[in-house]
Amino acid sequence: MSDADIAVVGGGIIGCLVAHEITRRDPRPRVALLDRDVVASGASRRSAGLHFPRGATERVRRLSTHSQAAYARLAAEDPTLPIHPLPLHMLAADPAHIERTYLTTARPTRAEQVPGGLVAVPPGTGVWTGQGCQYADVGALTEALATTLRPRLALREATRVTSVEPGPRDVTLHLSTGGTLTASRVVLAPGPWLADPAWEPLVRPLGARVKKIVALHVDRAPTEDDGVIVFEDEDAFLLPLRHRGHWLFSYTCQEWDVDPDTLDRGLSAADLTQAHACLSRYAPALAERTTSGRVFCDAYSPTCEPIVRTLDDGGRVVFAGAAGGSGYRLAPALAAETADLLHIAPEGTGHPDQPGPTGRRTAA
Ligand SMILES: Cc1cc2nc3c(=O)[nH]c(=O)nc-3n(C[C@H](O)[C@H](O)[C@H](O)COP(=O)(O)OP(=O)(O)OC[C@H]3O[C@@H](n4cnc5c(N)ncnc54)[C@H](O)[C@@H]3O)c2cc1C
């Protein structure tokens, strides 16, 4: 018999929510969750944690809808979780972009200005308000999930997976501890560690790449009424991180094919110049108050849609990730898609061939 029915490799927000989804749907499978470090040590710890109800494609809109409901349910079940509803403001030149991108549940509504006088709206740019936005301290949320999971699974931290060998009956994971773990099915949720030699040959055909992500911390305290301001034409946003007492400015950095282990986590002069140039177009006073920030990276798929897919002929190894800077906001839906692929019956149906909550059938 295998050591575990399902082994989840990677204890970030996606891996933890995959384990959470599996054990919530069915308490019977023996689940192991492994991380080479402590949980929430990767991209999840550095995440800005913004969830907004939008998506550029039909699938992402579906994932966003599912995730929004799932986070609302988690927050209702445990109000101490660090998930905070937030007012939403969008700036865009093209009204059709707002209509195309935002879910109807976001109820985009034209507005005159962004409240608070923080940003100047450039000529030719419209302002909208919306609903259904929240942000989380993703590191703390991931740790809280791991705490609730601990009695329900085998949590093995500081245990690096050094090779993944799919076989006819199960998958053998070789571990940094010198031992092995066999599992009937394995979920790889490696965040930006796509090139880990343990699974690189399995993951390479996905064509996913790793991009640097930079966000600046703005040295100004948000008020309870402040909301997120999304600069649609820049793929950037200003987020009031109330729990940390400052704003965060996220913009799009185009530095590709970085390695999470060797990436310089310090802000570079080029990072600051690019971010200041972008922020100055809307809020020059804030740009002057940005001297610190966070630098890490994330995995992106060729289509910019997240990937949930089997990697081996036997269908025993499933990849979940490459969410392209949206791994927090889409994680619950990716977890549901993963559980569907693993044939874990959606809660309440009792039948593995019923359509799952994301529309997929659980039987392959
Ligand atoms: C600065 C920044 C801002 C962001 N802002 C947002 C945002 O506002 N909204 C949003 O939705 N998303 C955002 N993201 C993206 C989001 O944070 C990621 O998509 C998400 O955290 C990915 O989660 P994950 O679980 O896949 O990866 P990770 O959190 O990186 O977890 C992967 C885990 O795998 C483990 N691991 C790696 N190799 C091995 C091995 N060999 N053996 C065992 N374990 C291993 C690592 O230790 C790590 O804990 C942001 C990302 C960054 C960097």
Side-chain angles (χ1 to χ4, degrees):
M1 192 167 78
S2 306
D3 300 320
D5 296 313
I6 301 167
V8 181
V9 181
I13 187 68
I14 294 180
C16 283
L17 277 172
V18 166
H20 181 268
E21 181 73 13
I22 293 167
T23 54
R24 189 176 71 90
R25 287 188 187 192
D26 187 348
R28 289 168 300 177
R30 295 164 305 134
V31 180
L33 174 61
L34 300 101
D35 200 289
R36 67 179 209 164
D37 204 322
V38 291
V39 296
S41 298
S44 300
R45 189 159 78 81
R46 282 102 179 167
S47 188
L50 175 63
H51 169 89
F52 40 17
R54 57 174 275 178
T57 66
E58 199 45 51
R59 175 169 169 245
V60 175
R61 280 192 286 278
R62 210 170 55 238
L63 298 176
S64 182
T65 304
H66 178 91
S67 295
Q68 187 165 339
Y71 278 129
R73 187 173 57 209
L74 275 178
E77 283 167 5
D78 181 356
T80 66
L81 288 178
I83 300 175
H84 313 285
L86 207 58
L88 167 65
H89 313 285
M90 305 89 104
L91 269 64
D94 180 9
H97 167 86
I98 300 289
E99 265 173 47
R100 260 196 322 270
T101 312
Y102 280 84
L103 307 178
T104 48
T105 53
R107 298 183 194 281
T109 308
R110 281 304 280 256
E112 289 299 314
Q113 285 296 333
V114 179
L118 212 60
V119 302
V121 180
T125 300
V127 180
W128 286 259
T129 60
Q131 297 175 14
C133 188
Q134 47 97 340
Y135 87 98
D137 177 345
V138 182
L141 175 62
T142 306
E143 283 180 346
L145 287 168
T147 303
T148 61
L149 285 169
R150 206 172 270 274
R152 294 189 251 152
L153 50 65
L155 178 52
R156 298 187 60 173
E157 295 174 295
T159 305
R160 189 158 74 84
V161 172
T162 56
S163 81
V164 178
E165 291 172 7
R169 288 170 180 272
D170 53 22
V171 184
T172 303
L173 302 179
H174 290 264
L175 309 176
S176 56
T177 52
T180 57
L181 186 141
T182 54
S184 302
R185 265 91 48 90
V186 167
V187 178
L188 296 182
W193 280 274
L194 297 178
D196 192 304
W199 47 68
E200 195 275 340
L202 284 168
V203 167
R204 192 188 318 136
L206 299 176
R209 293 167 67 192
V210 179
K211 186 165 82 72
K212 180 168 150 179
I213 302 185
V214 181
L216 295 191
H217 296 167
V218 183
D219 191 15
R220 176 180 167 127
T223 69
E224 280 304 307
D225 299 328
D226 284 326
V228 63
I229 306 163
V230 184
F231 307 104
E232 300 288 342
D233 302 330
E234 314 273 358
D235 203 5
F237 59 80
L238 262 173
L239 176 67
L241 287 186
R242 295 178 194 148
H243 71 290
R244 290 177 52 103
H246 65 80
W247 286 77
L248 174 145
F249 178 62
S250 170
Y251 75 103
T252 302
C253 167
Q254 289 295 350
E255 211 173 310
W256 285 90
D257 302 320
V258 297
D259 178 327
D261 287 327
T262 55
L263 175 71
D264 185 351
R265 309 240 177 107
L267 288 166
S268 68
D271 296 333
L272 284 171
T273 305
Q274 278 176 37
H276 283 168
C278 184
L279 185 54
S280 296
R281 289 196 275 280
Y282 302 89
L286 291 190
E288 286 164 16
R289 305 178 78 159
T290 51
T291 48
S292 70
R294 57 186 73 191
V295 179
F296 201 54
C297 54
D298 201 11
Y300 289 69
S301 79
T303 62
C304 288
E305 283 196 2
I307 299 175
V308 176
R309 195 179 300 169
T310 52
L311 298 179
D312 61 320
D313 293 340
R316 293 189 179 279
V317 183
V318 174
F319 177 90
S326 295
Y328 163 65
R329 73 185 190 93
L330 302 179
L334 301 182
E337 284 197 347
T338 305
D340 289 350
L341 259 188
L342 295 170
H343 313 293
I344 313 283
E347 202 181 21
T349 69
H351 296 292
D353 56 352
Q354 293 294 306
T358 57
R360 261 190 191 183
R361 287 187 177 274
T362 51

